[in-house]
Amino acid sequence: PPSTGFRYITDDWATIFFILDLGANFNTGHFKRGVLVMNRPAIAKKYLGRWFLLDLLSAIPFHMFTPDNGSLKINRILRLTKFFRVARVS
């Protein structure tokens, strides 16, 4: 059953943000040798080769599928993916 409380609400909002950001990254150009690249296949290729896996792991709402009794080390490890994802954005 889903839990309530501030932490769970923030986890849900973070998950929504990361899912939206995942889609946005497939549509955000990048510069290559001073030229803006807006070709979607090229954008996707670069994104898939760099940050996609971390972004995908950050977007999965693991807190909804694992018990939160504080004893599972995997919960802490999975929450770290969100921390690293936020650190990359800032």
Side-chain angles (χ1 to χ4, degrees):
S3 300
T4 58
F6 180 75
R7 189 172 114 207
Y8 296 99
I9 292 170
T10 56
D11 278 346
D12 290 342
W13 279 106
T15 298
I16 291 167
F17 171 79
F18 289 140
I19 289 170
L20 292 174
D21 188 58
L22 193 69
N25 279 307
F26 279 106
N27 295 292
T28 303
H30 61 273
F31 285 96
K32 184 175 184 178
R33 295 186 207 133
V35 177
L36 180 62
V37 176
M38 291 301 294
N39 178 292
R40 282 194 176 167
I43 294 168
K45 182 179 178 182
K46 182 176 181 180
Y47 181 51
L48 288 169
R50 295 193 177 179
W51 293 106
F52 177 73
L53 184 59
L54 176 64
D55 290 353
L56 181 64
L57 289 173
S58 299
I60 298 172
F62 291 110
H63 67 279
M64 297 176 92
F65 308 114
T66 58
D68 187 28
N69 58 12
S71 64
L72 290 178
K73 192 173 193 176
I74 190 73
N75 282 347
R76 287 179 267 160
I77 293 169
L78 294 173
R79 290 179 66 82
L80 273 178
T81 61
K82 291 189 189 315
F83 171 78
F84 288 121
R85 176 66 177 92
V86 169
R88 180 177 78 87
V89 171
S90 52

